[in-house]
Structures are given as structure tokens and as C-alpha cells.
């Protein structure tokens, strides 16, 4: 038998969010003075599940409810992520939900973003029509920002789920990695880097050809992390798209595995993800501000990740070419990158090359939103810290992707992201790695071996017979083995590093004045 906690009020004298300390668990909201079991139409709210977040509901009228986001555990500053279910609805019941305690002033809700919804009979996430979504500062709620939207429940037996963005849970990640392990690929390895405060796994993935991992072989490493901020769920979809591509039989993936070692930490803050936090760990720390001195007991996942990178950087057998930290952005559109500012102009200009290649590969990537900075507020981030301590040849970036959409046709068309769109950006990240390594000559273009044409065959044979030496069938087999990847020397990736640096100087010549 399912038990419900019944809550009866016509609003609350205490409209602050101080009382919001935990997630609602099968919470029935009924009219004032009502007693007894909930009737149909008395909405039952629940967020007591993995990645769930809803801390409180106030009954305003039978048509309107005020909803409060639960702040991150041990940190009341961050109130953005929500993920909850509603059941016990009546067919064609219409309501207005006001989410009343957002902590951010700027939001993509002002640009057309809208919440996601699915139901038990329609499990595919859909966006609520943006024309019905309003984001505004409300004097009735301590001038917090409020997002209001109407909704009509159309199926009485359904359970409806609402979320800020596409959820991606810790359990989903573990299931995904376990499925890959069962394939027993010789170029994939999964190891336990450490356990979190709540004893969840911090996975380290290695993707490369086995011969690259031999003790006497020097490794070129691309190190990727995601989900240091647990509510930034698009980062996991981008990371999965990258992993799927690197494990595939695509010719580019094969060449990358032959030359590069990919080290991937797909979920850097597993406790925060599980708990439904937006930005912080279990203990209320923004891990991406603690790279300077992570604590082994308060920030164990960050501590283990940092020390692995430091060991790799100190090794004579490894070159860490890239560190890329994947995030999601709540106020800007498209995918874009943040890089560092260096006093050395050669190093400073060199880092502009990778984002330009990314822009050529991904229609949703924006060079306009890409920037390079040394903002003091970002000093404790992975990008800033590692950019100052890794080898001078290492490139450190934050890859951001919008929670909402990307613009095409010069900004006139907005295309909302879905799960596939985020994964496509991950695949394009891998292709950009290939273009960069071609540009820097680590991966040399292979000559295309064309079959002998009819005239050449006649020159090498007499009276219609095959020439002496290699049989014709063997020759064809040899050609198919060698001509596995064909490069276009006229593509953007074949431009010289110097010409790209000149373009960067012209477009960013005033960056030091900012």
C-alpha cells in the first residue's frame, strides 16, 4: 500500500525557501480544510528518486501551485535544477505551475527555452510550448525569479515528469559502461579511480590501441572530464557521443585509436548527480573551484583526478596534449569554448586553432561565444589551474553547450537541442581531434592507392594476360587494406597553423584591453 503525506494550505506565511531542506516524497496537496485520502485531481508530487529535485509545493488555488526547488545539499546558493513527477491527475485537468525560487537572474527561459515533460504512456521527452512560459522577477517571493507555465493533464492514469533539462543519472552511466565492458573490446579499459564520499564509483576510461599502452611507447593523451557540475546533464550526452564514436568502426575513430590515448572521466561528481544537485557535491562544494588544493576527504574525486593528471604530466612517457572539461551553459546558445590567456603570444595564438577546427566541423559551434580569459573568479577551475601547471604544449579548454538550442542561418533560426544533438557535438569533438593532429602532422595523410586503369593494365600486360609478379586478386586486396582513410587536402584542417594564428590575431587584437 502506498502512503501519502497530505499537505493542506492556501499559501504560506513563510514564503522564503529556508524551509526547503529535502525532496518531496509522494506529497499530496489538497485544498484548505480537507481531510481524508486524496481524491482524483488532488495532485501528488514526488522527487524522492535519483536526480530528483523538488522541495516544497504551496496550494494557491485548485488551478495554481507554487513550487520550490530544493537547494543543493549543504549550499543554499544554487537553485536551478528541478526534476519531479505528478500523479493522481484528472483527465483534462488544467493547472499553472510557478517555480518561484530560481537563484539565477539571467536565464534562457527569456530566450524561448521551456521545461521538458514526459509521461508514463509517452516516454519521449518533449518541450512545453515556449509561448506559454514566462520568466520574471516576483515581489511576492522576495524578488526571486519565477518561471510560470500552464499545463493540461490529458490522461488520467499517467504519471507526468517535469525536468529542467534531459536527465542523465549515475545509474544510467554505470549501466552504459557495463554494457561496453561486456563487448570485451581490446581498445577499451575501465578502471576505478576512487570512490566518492558516498562510495560511488569514479570511473576512468582508456580508449586506444593496445600497442600504444606498451611500457616503452610514448603516449599522446587527450584527457576529457564531464559532470563536475551535476545539473549540467547535456555534458553527459556530449561525453557519451564522444565515447560511442571513439569505440566505433568509423575510419576516423580507428586512426585516432592508432595514434592517441583518450583518458575520459565521464562523471566527476557522482554524488551530486545522484542527489539531484545543480552545481555542488554532497558537502556543498563547487568542485570546479577547488583544483588548487582538493581535499582527499572532502573532494576525493577531484583529488584523485588532479593527482592522476599531475603524474601523467611528470611522466617522460606521456604528453598530455589536451585537457577538455565538458559543461552546459544556462544563459548562452550554441556550443563554444573557453580558453586561457598566456603572456607567450605563440602559445596564446596556438590555442585558437582547435576551436576554429571545431567550428568547421559542427554547425552548432560558435566562435562568437568562444572566449579566452584569465578571470580571477575562474582561478580554481580545471581549465585555469591546469593551463598554468601542465606542460606548455598542453591545451586546456572548457567545452560548453547550451541547455537550450543553437542558432543557424546567421542567428535567424533556433534549433532546440535534444539528446541526439548533444551526442553529435561529442562526435564532432572527436573529428576535430583528428583534424588537429593532421594539422600538426602527428597523423600523416596516407596516399590514396588507386586501382590501375585500363590503359595501365594494357601497358603492363601482353595479349590480354596479367603482368608477372603479384596476382591481380592479391593486388586488389592490398589496395583495400592500404586505402582505409582518404584525406581532402583542401579542407580547413589542411590550412597552415600560421595562417589560422594570423586570423586569430586580427579578430582578437584588442582582447588584452578588456
Amino acid at each position: 500500500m502506498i502512503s501519502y503525506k497530505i499537505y493542506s494550505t492556501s499559501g504560506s506565511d513563510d514564503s522564503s525557501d529556508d524551509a526547503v531542506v529535502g525532496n518531496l516524497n509522494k506529497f499530496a496537496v489538497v485544498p484548505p480544510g480537507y481531510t481524508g485520502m486524496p481524491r482524483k485531481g488532488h495532485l501528488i508530487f514526488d522527487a524522492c528518486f535519483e536526480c530528483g529535485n523538488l522541495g516544497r509545493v504551496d496550494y494557491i488555488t485548485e488551478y495554481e501551485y507554487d513550487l520550490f526547488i530544493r537547494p543543493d545539499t549543504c549550499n543554499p546558493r544554487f537553485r536551478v535544477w528541478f526534476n519531479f513527477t505528478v500523479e493522481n491527475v484528472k483527465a483534462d485537468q488544467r493547472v499553472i505551475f510557478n517555480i518561484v525560487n530560481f537563484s539565477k537572474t539571467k536565464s534562457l527561459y527569456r530566450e524561448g527555452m521551456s521545461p521538458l515533460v514526459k509521461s508514463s504512456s509517452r516516454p519521449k521527452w518533449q518541450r512545453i510550448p515556449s509561448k506559454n512560459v514566462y520568466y520574471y522577477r516576483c515581489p511576492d517571493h522576495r524578488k526571486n525569479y519565477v518561471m510560470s507555465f500552464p499545463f493540461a493533464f490529458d490522461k488520467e492514469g499517467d504519471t507526468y515528469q517535469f525536468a529542467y533539462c534531459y536527465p542523465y543519472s549515475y545509474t544510467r552511466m554505470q549501466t552504459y559502461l557495463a554494457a561496453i565492458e561486456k563487448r570485451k573490446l581490446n581498445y577499451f579499459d575501465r578502471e576505478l579511480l576512487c570512490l566518492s564520499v558516498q562510495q560511488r564509483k569514479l570511473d576512468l576510461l582508456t580508449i586506444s590501441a593496445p600497442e600504444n599502452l606498451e611500457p616503452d611507447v610514448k603516449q599522446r593523451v587527450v584527457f576529457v572530464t564531464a559532470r563536475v557540475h551535476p545539473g549540467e546533464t547535456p555534458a553527459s550526452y556530449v561525453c557519451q557521443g564522444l565515447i560511442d564514436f571513439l569505440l566505433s568502426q568509423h575510419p576516423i575513430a580507428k586512426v585516432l585509436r592508432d595514434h592517441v590515448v583518450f583518458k575520459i572521466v565521464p562523471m566527476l561528481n557522482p554524488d551530486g548527480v545522484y542527489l539531484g544537485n545543480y552545481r555542488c557535491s554532497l558537502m556543498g562544494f563547487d568542485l570546479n573551484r577547488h583544483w588548487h588544493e582538493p581535499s582527499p576527504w572532502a573532494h576525493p574525486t577531484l583529488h584523485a583526478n588532479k593527482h592522476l593528471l599531475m603524474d601523467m604530466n611528470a611522466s617522460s612517457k606521456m604528453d598530455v596534449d589536451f585537457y577538455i572539461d565538458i559543461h552546459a551553459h544556462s544563459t548562452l546558445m550554441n556550443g563554444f569554448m573557453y580558453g586561457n590567456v598566456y603572456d607567450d603570444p605563440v602559445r596564446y595564438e596556438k590555442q585558437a586553432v582547435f576551436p576554429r577546427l571545431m567550428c568547421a566541423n559542427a554547425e552548432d559551434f560558435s566562435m562568437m561565444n568562444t572566449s579566452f580569459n584569465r578571470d580571477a573568479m575562474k582561478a580554481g577551475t580545471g581549465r585555469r589551474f591546469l593551463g598554468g601547471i601542465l606542460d606548455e604544449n598542453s591545451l586546456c579548454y572548457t567545452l560548453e553547450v547550451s541547455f537550450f538550442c543553437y542558432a543557424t542561418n546567421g542567428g535567424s533560426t533556433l534549433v532546440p537541442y535534444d539528446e541526439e544533438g548533444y551526442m553529435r557535438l561529442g562526435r564532432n569533438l572527436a573529428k576535430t581531434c583528428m583534424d588537429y593532429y593532421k594539422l600538426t602532422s602527428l597523423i600523416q595523410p596516407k596516399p590514396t592507392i588507386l586501382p590501375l586503369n585500363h590503359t595501365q593494365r594494357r601497358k603492363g600486360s601482353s595479349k590480354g594476360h596479367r603482368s608477372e609478379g603479384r596476382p591481380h586478386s592479391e593486388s586488389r586486396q592490398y589496395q583495400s587494406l592500404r586505402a582505409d582513410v582518404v584525406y581532402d587536402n583542401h579542407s580547413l584542417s589542411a590550412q597552415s597553423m600560421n595562417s589560422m594564428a594570423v586570423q586569430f590575431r586580427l579578430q582578437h587584437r584588442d582582447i588584452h584591453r578588456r
Side-chain angles (χ1 to χ4, degrees):
M1 179 179 178
I2 299 176
S3 61
Y4 303 102
K5 183 176 181 180
I6 299 177
Y7 181 57
S8 175
T9 182
S10 55
S12 173
D13 294 334
D14 177 18
S15 61
S16 77
D17 48 272
D18 296 338
V20 183
V21 294
N23 281 333
L24 297 181
N25 184 9
K26 297 295 183 180
F27 201 79
V29 182
V30 300
Y34 180 85
T35 59
M37 294 297 292
R39 295 179 180 175
K40 275 291 182 185
H42 292 165
L43 301 184
I44 296 173
F45 294 83
D46 185 37
C48 201
F49 52 85
E50 186 177 358
C51 298
N53 188 310
L54 185 65
R56 173 174 146 195
V57 177
D58 286 354
Y59 179 101
I60 307 302
T61 71
E62 63 176 309
Y63 305 110
E64 186 172 6
Y65 301 81
D66 283 354
L67 280 56
F68 291 76
I69 296 170
R70 171 189 55 76
D72 283 7
T73 54
C74 304
N75 194 325
R77 288 180 53 205
F78 300 106
R79 303 179 305 278
V80 176
W81 173 258
F82 60 85
N83 183 15
F84 62 91
T85 64
V86 181
E87 58 185 285
N88 200 43
V89 306
K90 290 192 299 186
D92 300 321
Q93 182 176 358
R94 287 170 168 79
V95 298
I96 295 174
F97 287 152
N98 308 307
I99 301 181
V100 301
N101 66 333
F102 278 100
S103 58
K104 277 185 172 285
T105 55
K106 296 180 180 179
S107 174
L108 285 166
Y109 286 126
R110 290 177 168 175
E111 308 298 330
M113 178 170 151
S114 59
L116 294 167
V117 63
K118 68 176 183 177
S119 72
S120 47
S121 67
R122 288 153 295 183
K124 183 177 175 60
W125 288 104
Q126 302 177 48
R127 290 195 181 274
I128 292 170
S130 59
K131 65 181 180 180
N132 297 330
V133 178
Y134 304 90
Y135 192 76
Y136 55 97
R137 188 189 290 270
C138 182
D140 294 337
H141 294 284
R142 300 170 64 186
K143 296 185 179 180
N144 282 325
Y145 277 81
V146 173
M147 188 266 291
S148 298
F149 64 95
F151 191 79
F153 298 103
D154 57 347
K155 290 192 176 182
E156 193 164 290
D158 270 14
T159 296
Y160 294 78
Q161 184 172 353
F162 300 86
Y164 179 77
C165 193
Y166 302 97
Y168 197 110
S169 68
Y170 169 78
T171 298
R172 173 172 176 169
M173 175 60 71
Q174 292 300 306
T175 303
Y176 168 68
L177 296 180
I180 295 176
E181 279 190 306
K182 289 181 180 178
R183 293 161 61 184
K184 299 189 182 302
L185 304 172
N186 69 344
Y187 47 83
F188 173 84
D189 181 66
R190 176 189 183 189
E191 59 185 294
L192 179 65
L193 195 54
C194 75
L195 295 174
S196 68
V197 174
Q198 290 189 314
Q199 302 301 293
R200 295 188 178 91
K201 294 179 180 179
L202 180 69
D203 290 294
L204 172 65
L205 313 180
T206 302
I207 301 174
S208 189
E211 51 268 25
N212 292 333
L213 307 179
E214 295 293 332
D216 58 339
V217 176
K218 188 163 188 176
Q219 300 178 17
R220 305 201 70 109
V221 178
V222 175
F223 202 106
V224 179
T225 57
R227 292 298 286 281
V228 67
H229 291 151
E232 296 176 3
T233 57
S236 281
Y237 290 99
V238 175
C239 192
Q240 180 173 328
L242 171 67
I243 295 168
D244 285 343
F245 183 85
L246 293 174
L247 296 179
S248 74
Q249 295 305 306
H250 193 285
I252 291 177
K254 292 180 179 179
V255 174
L256 282 171
R257 293 196 301 265
D258 286 344
H259 292 83
V260 183
V261 177
F262 285 86
K263 297 281 187 179
I264 302 174
V265 178
M267 195 167 280
L268 196 49
N269 188 350
D271 289 347
V273 169
Y274 188 90
L275 294 168
N277 287 353
Y278 174 67
R279 197 171 181 90
C280 296
S281 65
L282 164 73
M283 300 174 70
F285 295 107
D286 180 346
L287 296 182
N288 206 34
R289 296 296 183 273
H290 289 272
W291 275 87
H292 285 299
E293 293 186 16
S295 163
W297 65 270
H299 326 113
T301 58
L302 188 62
H303 182 269
N305 198 65
K306 175 187 172 180
H307 278 266
L308 173 63
L309 276 160
M310 295 302 95
D311 290 345
M312 293 170 64
N313 187 57
S315 172
S316 60
K317 295 295 185 181
M318 291 186 176
D319 285 336
V320 181
D321 290 336
F322 288 94
Y323 172 75
I324 301 174
D325 190 21
I326 307 175
H327 288 252
H329 208 281
S330 64
T331 61
L332 294 178
M333 300 179 191
N334 292 72
F336 55 96
M337 280 181 155
Y338 291 132
N340 295 316
V341 173
Y342 299 104
D343 294 329
D344 179 2
V346 175
R347 188 180 185 190
Y348 176 54
E349 291 165 1
K350 179 183 176 183
Q351 68 169 338
V353 174
F354 191 86
R356 286 194 172 279
L357 295 173
M358 188 76 178
C359 191
N361 281 321
E363 67 168 352
D364 56 327
F365 189 87
S366 168
M367 279 302 296
M368 184 177 296
N369 288 344
T370 295
S371 65
F372 307 88
N373 63 68
R374 52 160 57 109
D375 183 355
M377 293 291 292
K378 308 288 187 180
T381 64
R383 166 181 62 88
R384 284 289 308 279
F385 172 77
L386 294 170
I389 203 168
L390 293 181
D391 182 89
E392 63 179 11
N393 294 315
S394 300
L395 298 172
C396 299
Y397 300 101
T398 300
L399 173 61
E400 297 272 2
V401 62
S402 175
F403 275 108
F404 175 34
C405 71
Y406 61 94
T408 61
N409 299 326
S412 61
T413 303
L414 299 182
V415 182
Y417 277 109
D418 55 15
E419 298 102 318
E420 171 56 27
Y422 290 128
M423 290 186 186
R424 183 171 60 248
L425 185 62
R427 295 193 292 270
N428 287 329
L429 177 61
K431 294 174 184 177
T432 303
C433 289
M434 171 66 127
D435 287 346
Y436 183 87
Y437 281 122
K438 283 166 52 184
L439 188 65
T440 54
S441 300
L442 173 66
I443 298 177
Q444 295 286 349
K446 296 179 182 179
T448 304
I449 300 175
L450 299 176
L452 296 174
N453 60 35
H454 179 69
T455 304
Q456 291 171 319
R457 284 199 300 268
R458 291 190 63 183
K459 287 181 180 179
S461 60
S462 61
K463 299 181 181 180
H465 294 288
R466 292 176 186 161
S467 58
E468 295 180 2
R470 188 187 306 274
H472 184 60
S473 60
E474 186 180 344
S475 176
R476 291 183 62 183
Q477 183 181 11
Y478 172 74
Q479 291 156 11
S480 67
L481 287 172
R482 288 289 305 277
D484 52 352
V485 181
V486 179
Y487 300 108
D488 177 7
N489 289 328
H490 299 287
S491 68
L492 174 64
S493 59
Q495 294 183 20
S496 71
M497 186 86 76
N498 289 336
S499 68
M500 299 190 77
V502 169
Q503 294 177 31
F504 174 70
R505 277 200 300 271
L506 291 174
Q507 294 190 10
H508 296 266
R509 58 186 179 273
D510 61 339
I511 193 167
H512 289 290
R513 302 174 191 168
R514 295 179 184 173

